[in-house]
Amino acid sequence: MIHFLLLLSRQGKTRLTKWYSPFTNKEKSRFTREIGNMVLNRPPKLCNFLEWKEYKIIFKRYASLYFIVCCDRTDNELIVLEMIHHFVEILDRYFGNVCELDLIFNFHKAYYILDELLLAGELQETSKKTVLRLIAQQDAQQENPSEHKVDL
Amino acid sequence: MSTPNPNIAKTSMRGLTNFISDLRNAPSKENEEKRVTKEMAHIRKEFKENKNIDGYARRKYVCKLIYMYMLGYELDFGHMEAVTLLSSTKFSEKQIGYISIAILLHEQHEMLPLIINSFKEDLLARNDYFQSLALAAICNIGGKEVAEFLSPLIQKLLIANTSSPMVKKRAALAILRMNRKNIGFVTPDQWVERLVSVLDDSDFGVLNSLMSLLIELASENPIGWESAIPKVIQLLKKIAINKEFPKEYTYYHIACPWLQVKLLKFLRYFPPPEDSQGGQVLNEILNAIFSQSESAKAGTVNHKNSLNAVLFEAINLIIHLDSDPTLLKQTSSLLGRFITVKETNIRYLGLATMSHFANLSNETSIMIKKYQDTVLLSLKDADISIRRRALDLLYGMCDKNTCKHIVAELLSYLQTADYAIREELVIKIANLAEKFASNYSWYVDVILQLITTAGDFVSDDIWFRVVKIVTNHEDIQAYAASTVFTALQSRNCHETLIKVGGYILGEFGHLIADSPQSSPLIQFNILHSKYGTCSPSTKALLLSTYAKFVNLFPELTQPTQEVFKQHSNYIDAEIQQRACEYLNLTSLNEDLMQTVLDVIPAFSEKDNSNNNNINSSNGNSQDPRVSSGSGYHTPPPQQQYQQPVQQQQSNNNLQDLLDPFGLGLGGSPQPAQQQVAQYQQPQQQIVMQPQQIQQQQSPQEVQSPFGSGTHNFSPSSPNGPSSPINSGGAIDPLQLKILISFKRLCLASEGVLYEDNMLQVGLKSEYQGSQGRLMLYYGNSSAFPLTNFNVTFNSVSGVQLQPQSIAPVIQPKAQIQQPVTFSCTSEFTETPTVVINFLTPGKPITIHLKLPIIMSKFFDPLKLNSGDFFAKWKTISGKPLEIQEVFKPTKPVDINQFTKVLSDGLNITVLKGVDPNPNNIVAACLYPFGSNGQPIQCYIRIESNPQANMCRVTIRTQSAVLTNTLKSLLIAHLQ
């Protein structure tokens, strides 16, 4: 299972965090710092996996952003790595050439796209088409809320 | 790449965008803080005063608050507004509401119960989108309560034909989440049929989520979920062989890699399919997956990654099945290819998987022998992750024939290895050298080389081990003595070398004393030339060596006694004590000296020390033995009983962490040392002058492993738990351990109840209503069977125990279980006990234990607001229904710790916000089984004064018995 996901900028600024396991706020900021140091200082060309505590860190850099996932040691590393790519492709398609600023100004959207992809620390949907369709449908909901009154 | 999404502009909020820009453009941190404070004040005012605030504004403000929260600012309001958004009928508002609670709240948040109703309404709404939002929120923050109230509803959503795929896949993950928070919540007997039926769903998104759920359940306990196997194999066949799957699930030309990985992983939790047909289909599938491996050489990195992800999962399954020789062979050559490819990731995984493969069987470890040189080369990889994997693999590949080569390579690597990996490397080399040593002189050489090259990383375990092996093998003693003697000639010896040298020369120096180059005086001089720079513990050890010298070489009496005299007023108590003792011992009575300082007898081989260490791949030395200065022999009397306590104590902690019930780590630590210590005790005491004992006891007490904690259990502490410890100061370590275990289990539901070197008793407990169930695990840690095994349970008034019968024999290293059910009928003050009787080859053993069945285990939560609490509080007063007690905690007062003990350990509801003073706690609980059949409410106040480190607890209940018991409980566990 995935325990958390971090998006850090090259300067170490946090752009998005999502915690799937319960950690205290103190732990969260400590982990972010610790992992940020490990990942940001890692020379390129080395492998994308790190052993950390009882977990595994899997990360990949896209332009100025590091996408970092912390998962169980028993998880399949490559498929988690591709899940990161899958997420990036969906963001890219949704925002149209996504950049760091898109994620800053539309952080709430980033969260609901992420929910569409990952829930309870597990990958929910692997079809890019389906994810984008569902998000578009939800965006469409926003314009005609009156048609979808709660029907009890 | 593509044009911007028009929806983004349409759905964004201008106020929010401007606010984010403002913060980003803030020239300094102070400006940013100013802007945040201003905005917070504005929003707070709006929320408070603007009664007609519309949905859009509320949504915008909540978004701003989340943004500030994400930047690290504290939020003390706004949660309520987020919750209000949940009940909006507009999707946009509801969506923001759900996103914000997922960020702001967590599973134990006090507001969560408030919104369970919103969840329920949305789950019941005939609107896919509302249902999806609620399910996602449950996946994010759902806890126990959500599971209790909403699970039937969620289960229905997963199974109903009317649910859309979007709802179904989320429902599957919501169930997974609830099970994680409530292990055992999804049981096969109630769920298997329904969940397996969902495997027929045609939507691959649903299948994907469902497989996550099934994997989680199988990983917990595979029994009961077997009926999913045929369908899983069918699905794999459909994808991997028939290529029947929706197009949109192709990812870089690979057929649904995620689903394939999950299906393969699921099968790993079960034994190979029993029916030959299923096995055959599975073989075909694995072959089909392997046949694609060639295409992993070309294509985009994503194509390669996802293909290899499936391949690695297939390899893991093949390793698990361990049946088809052709597949195993293919696996071996595929792994051989993986460890040479250019991509670091694949090399890393190749090495890791090869380790598993090598450990599988003799055949597989032979198959990969031919890659040894490649692996050795990987030790020099630029990436430490790879180096670690290579080291692990080499460790697994090593055997009698290759060992010398591999150890030599590792030793040469050690010289340049970076610090992060050295400790692990040292442990592994030491283990290999010992495991495969064909002659022990080679072993001694290797270890000495380790100490010379990386002395800082050679833990005490390793040198203890050398000493033991040398002591136990006469043929190498002379060799060892001359080798360490030579090594000690070097100008800068590592301190560990001095310790080993001191020990070995003290014991076996006489074997080389005939040579003029290593005469006794030279041996003494060379050791003493290092003495000045050593740490106290090494100094203490060297003093013992000198005493041994006196016994063997009378000509050294004068120089050594000189040293002892110099140290008879030394500031370190341990050294001073040794110096005084040895001075007397070597000058008073020769016979006694000879007995005490005789050669150490061979160590018992039962204790195979550092092999355990290797289990942790980080190689952290966690050996429970404590390296006190007297690690070697003749510890002073105080330590003779303290040391075992310390050892068992830390050993116990270790076991709790790693293996609460298993026996894998059993075995008492260092029986040999204890034996030696006991054997020498009588003589020691004769030598000690009474005055000296007195003089040395006081500093020794400071060193006690229990430090300030000791008086925790001393009889003088008011109202402490009844203590079986006598007041003589001699703490019976076993009784103390029993007491600590019992106390811990009063707060926890499972753990070790009792443990010695023969028997381990583990316990798990469950309570539901007035019923309780214990599962006792008796593990035999000894090397012989325990016969006539019999357990007698003593019920108490109010709790009737009903144990099931058990087998009368426990085989060595085996474990038996005994379920005990009981029900609670009224208040009870006494604790039920058990008596365990059994026969060992030597003698009958009887163990008396208290069972951690206490009233608090039956407490129900009781939530009250401030008004209710004080209204009820006032209705009870005066003894015996009210008791007040002042106590002084042994540790500084920590209200959070208290809250945790109360709520997590004692099932007492801590009421927040009733008492404004943060140093006080107000709490309540409900005891449902009063003697008159009525539930009894209990009210508790704890006031603390951190400055004085004093606490006062006041308890009021309708039952004097309960009041009194509760008081003892609280003080015992809070003190």
Side-chain angles (χ1 to χ4, degrees), chain A residues 1-2 14-16 18-22 25 28 42 45-51 53 56 60 62 73-86 89 92-97 101 104-109 111-112 115-116 118-130 133-143 145 148-152, chain B residues 1-5 7-8 10-13 16-17 20-21 24 59 63 66-67 69-70 89-92 95-96 99 102-103 107 121 124-127 129-130 136 139-140 166 169-170 173 176-177 180-181 203 205 208-209 212 216 248-249 251-252 257-258 261-262 265 268 301-302 305-306 308-309 312-313 344-346 348-349 382-385 388-389 617:
Chain A
M1 110 176 247
I2 292 167
T14 316
R15 292 302 177 212
L16 188 103
K18 183 82 186 177
W19 306 86
Y20 295 102
S21 290
N25 283 345
K28 287 180 187 173
R42 198 166 155 83
K45 297 245 165 120
L46 303 190
C47 72
N48 299 63
F49 318 131
L50 286 167
E51 286 149 31
K53 296 182 185 274
K56 203 167 260 168
K60 183 145 193 200
Y62 289 87
R73 291 213 171 188
T74 50
D75 282 324
N76 186 317
E77 295 86 349
L78 288 173
I79 211 74
V80 175
L81 194 61
E82 284 315 294
M83 187 210 75
I84 293 178
H85 186 74
H86 183 51
E89 282 193 338
D92 199 57
R93 191 70 73 79
Y94 181 79
F95 287 104
N97 232 342
L101 281 181
I104 295 171
F105 282 98
N106 297 291
F107 66 91
H108 49 297
K109 294 227 159 72
Y111 274 111
Y112 80 65
D115 269 358
E116 211 51 62
L118 259 178
L119 272 182
E122 304 285 342
L123 187 61
Q124 190 203 164
E125 181 55 76
T126 64
S127 152
K128 197 158 57 173
K129 207 170 128 195
T130 311
R133 193 189 69 228
L134 291 173
I135 296 168
Q137 283 172 359
Q138 288 172 47
D139 277 346
Q141 290 286 305
Q142 306 214 354
E143 291 166 298
H148 288 273
K149 281 243 157 89
V150 188
D151 182 6
L152 285 173
Chain B
M1 194 165 110
S2 51
T3 50
N5 188 334
N7 280 331
I8 297 169
K10 227 179 279 174
T11 56
S12 66
M13 291 164 275
L16 175 66
T17 312
I20 296 176
S21 294
R24 283 181 56 79
R59 182 161 71 106
C63 275
I66 303 174
Y67 188 77
Y69 179 76
M70 281 165 53
T89 53
K90 286 190 185 160
F91 181 80
S92 55
Q95 189 183 39
I96 293 295
I99 285 173
I103 296 172
E107 62 198 85
E121 272 174 29
L124 285 170
R126 276 186 233 133
N127 178 323
Y129 301 105
F130 288 11
C139 288
N140 280 327
M166 170 169 74
K169 64 192 182 194
R170 289 176 185 218
L173 293 177
L176 184 155
R177 164 89 187 190
R180 238 177 230 156
K181 296 291 146 197
D203 187 282
N208 188 57
S209 294
S212 294
E216 176 82 14
E248 68 218 60
Y249 285 89
Y251 179 83
Y252 289 92
W258 285 279
V261 165
K262 283 185 186 175
K265 188 172 180 185
R268 245 199 296 152
V301 63
N302 305 99
N305 277 348
S306 37
N308 284 325
F312 273 112
E313 206 59 56
T344 328
N345 288 344
I346 308 293
Y348 171 89
L349 295 173
D383 189 341
I384 191 168
S385 299
R388 282 223 167 89
R389 289 299 121 239
S617 70

Side-chain angles (χ1 to χ4, degrees), chain B residues 105-122:
Chain B
L105 308 190
H106 53 83
E107 62 198 85
Q108 270 135 22
H109 201 277
E110 52 200 357
M111 278 179 83
L112 204 56
L114 292 178
I115 49 180
I116 287 186
N117 229 10
S118 300
F119 289 169
K120 191 175 172 187
E121 272 174 29
D122 285 333

